[in-house]
Amino acid sequence: MTDYWSMDAALAEETLVPTKFKYGALGVASVLEPGSVRNDVEAGAKVEMPLWLATQLTRRGMTTFSLPEIYHERYRRKLNAGAECINLKGRAPYFYDVGNKCNEFLQDLTLSAFLSRTYATRYRELVSKGLSTVSGEAMLELQSKLSLEELAVFEAGRDSVSRAEMWSRGARPRRAAVYLPIRKRASAGREEEQQREARQRTNK
Amino acid sequence: MMPCIEKAYGPFRANIPVEVPLCLALALYRRGKCRIQAPDWMDRERLKTMLEEERTVPQYFQPVPQFYVEVARMLFTEARAIFGSNADVNEVQDLIEELKKVRNSKILDGLRKVSGAITVKLNNLSASESNKIRLLFEHSLNVWHQLSKNDKQWQEANMTGSLDTPASM
């Protein structure tokens, strides 16, 4: 999240958040909302925009933004009741990162505790399924509902277990074969041709 | 004497046991130059008591040699004959497998109880076992750390009463 070069951090900031404009803005409405009829955003209008834009504008005091829907009371109740069952991948693939980022700005007193609690409940399943061999179907089901941060944890666990298994079977890890495409021949052929042409010219 | 980088091993005399690294022992064994004595923790009785204690005491792990999984595997694949008859080999192998399984399920149980960025005590974990859980555990501790740190940062700022609100940052 804090890493500037992290691809996931950049993608996490693409998440749309509901934003309220304090001042009007000219000519951006159709960019922010492709279906809009007018070109300008009026003061007080509610628009969804990516997190990276919302934070920057809020820092300058031009907008205010609120939490995305997944962190609202309704979903919180659901997640508190059964965090394992909620499909985060479809609703909020960067559940924790976005939550963290919003927390920095909105300073929600309960958000951090809520996120840790959610992770703690979901983590149990990650451990029991990630560190043992489960059937492909169960794995697919789990993979389809984990948020991307959780998926990284899960894959890391699976990877280390499968490596340990491979070692105990006595096999070596498959090495990714990288063959550079050979371009030399084409250019060499061209050079030969040029040389031949040059020779012919001198012969003439 | 056999001088190596670490130290000199030997002198090698017929029928006198000498302690050498496993790789050297296996190399000599392959050429038929030596007989390997099984390490004393691989004794059948000791393994049995170890397994029993591992099962009965769920709170902590029994001390095992750090590389017990690796050493056991190498000895079983390369030098089965040193344990005696075939039945003996199988018994010791089964005991070690069982030990591995019991410890593994204990580790999983322990990890499932963790809920937050706290220090976790995992004493007497062998190298391969800690390697197995390292990636997953490290990642999830990181997630927890981020979640809790993030909260503290601005709460502390609020408490000290500084005017460092995000809007002016």
Side-chain angles (χ1 to χ4, degrees):
Chain A
M1 170 96 211
T2 43
D3 188 8
Y4 181 80
W5 299 107
S6 157
M7 200 64 205
D8 279 334
L11 285 172
E13 294 195 351
E14 278 287 303
T15 313
L16 296 177
V17 290
T19 321
K20 196 174 174 194
F21 273 81
K22 280 186 188 165
Y23 307 100
L26 293 179
V28 290
S30 51
V31 180
L32 290 173
E33 194 132 3
S36 93
V37 214
R38 265 169 302 172
N39 232 349
D40 310 333
V41 179
E42 286 167 19
K46 278 184 185 164
V47 184
E48 293 223 318
M49 62 164 79
L51 187 59
W52 53 267
L53 186 57
T55 51
Q56 291 307 317
L57 289 180
T58 308
R59 212 171 258 178
R60 289 164 176 75
M62 293 167 76
T63 59
T64 51
F65 71 97
S66 57
L67 286 171
E69 203 193 359
I70 190 97
Y71 306 101
H72 283 182
E73 194 56 40
R74 201 173 122 243
Y75 278 102
R76 280 194 200 194
R77 246 181 280 138
K78 268 191 195 172
L79 280 163
N80 285 341
E84 302 94 335
C85 316
I86 307 282
N87 178 351
L88 280 185
K89 196 176 191 180
R91 294 211 178 84
Y94 295 97
F95 185 71
Y96 303 102
D97 277 353
V98 173
N100 268 342
K101 191 86 184 169
C102 289
N103 199 4
E104 267 174 43
F105 277 85
L106 301 172
Q107 310 203 338
D108 190 317
L109 276 171
T110 51
L111 185 62
S112 173
F114 161 70
L115 288 179
S116 334
R117 204 166 48 233
T118 310
Y119 184 68
T121 17
R122 293 173 69 94
Y123 158 82
R124 251 170 256 151
E125 199 177 11
L126 286 182
V127 167
S128 40
K129 292 210 174 135
L131 287 181
S132 52
T133 40
V134 288
S135 71
E137 206 172 310
M139 206 178 79
L140 274 183
E141 194 198 327
L142 187 66
Q143 274 176 342
S144 66
K145 73 178 183 193
L146 290 178
S147 83
L148 288 173
E149 299 100 329
E150 288 164 344
L151 197 64
V153 175
F154 179 72
E155 288 296 331
R158 286 203 64 77
D159 192 41
S160 46
V161 170
S162 68
R163 271 163 195 254
E165 261 170 29
M166 194 185 274
W167 171 80
S168 64
R169 270 189 281 122
R172 294 197 170 271
R174 241 179 288 147
R175 204 175 290 165
V178 180
Y179 291 110
L180 287 174
I182 303 167
R183 296 234 180 82
K184 229 176 183 176
R185 202 175 294 155
S187 60
R190 215 174 298 142
E191 270 171 26
E192 260 178 35
E193 245 173 51
Q194 282 170 359
Q195 279 177 359
R196 213 179 297 141
E197 275 176 18
R199 242 178 277 141
Q200 280 174 354
R201 244 176 265 146
T202 47
N203 285 349
K204 278 173 194 169
Chain B
M1 292 292 277
M2 185 176 187
C4 292
I5 292 176
E6 195 186 2
K7 62 177 190 183
Y9 300 103
F12 301 98
R13 295 211 181 90
N15 272 330
I16 296 196
V18 76
E19 207 165 279
V20 294
L22 186 59
C23 57
L24 181 54
L26 285 175
L28 289 174
Y29 183 82
R30 269 180 226 131
R31 287 166 207 174
K33 303 250 190 245
C34 75
R35 209 169 58 225
I36 298 176
Q37 290 178 340
D40 46 0
W41 58 268
M42 277 175 109
D43 181 53
R44 210 183 317 159
E45 294 309 313
R46 275 188 69 170
L47 278 177
K48 263 182 196 160
T49 50
M50 212 194 262
L51 184 60
E52 207 47 51
E53 276 175 45
E54 194 75 70
R55 276 199 184 123
T56 45
V57 190
Q59 290 89 19
Y60 56 84
F61 297 96
Q62 295 301 314
V64 289
Q66 205 200 349
F67 297 108
Y68 83 100
V69 182
E70 290 86 344
V71 170
R73 184 179 167 267
M74 286 178 95
L75 284 181
F76 285 132
T77 47
E78 300 252 349
R80 287 175 74 88
I82 61 169
F83 294 100
S85 71
N86 229 354
D88 287 345
V89 182
N90 286 344
E91 200 179 345
V92 176
Q93 205 165 4
D94 282 351
L95 280 173
I96 289 178
E97 280 299 313
E98 197 66 22
L99 188 68
K100 255 181 3 193
K101 268 181 204 156
V102 172
R103 288 173 68 93
N104 201 27
S105 68
K106 234 185 200 179
I107 291 171
L108 287 190
D109 280 347
L111 283 189
R112 241 169 266 160
K113 284 192 195 110
V114 178
S115 58
I118 48 170
T119 47
V120 184
K121 237 183 184 174
L122 290 165
N123 286 338
N124 294 328
L125 221 59
S126 81
S128 80
E129 286 158 347
S130 55
N131 253 341
K132 230 179 198 179
I133 62 166
R134 176 169 295 141
L135 279 177
L136 188 142
F137 199 48
E138 193 192 326
H139 270 82
S140 38
L141 282 183
N142 276 345
V143 173
W144 264 314
H145 178 64
Q146 267 178 10
L147 290 178
S148 57
K149 177 186 73 179
N150 173 271
D151 203 14
K152 270 177 204 132
Q153 208 174 11
W154 58 259
Q155 276 190 0
E156 268 165 22
N158 277 6
M159 268 203 269
T160 48
S162 65
L163 292 171
D164 224 21
T165 50
S168 67
M169 234 156 40

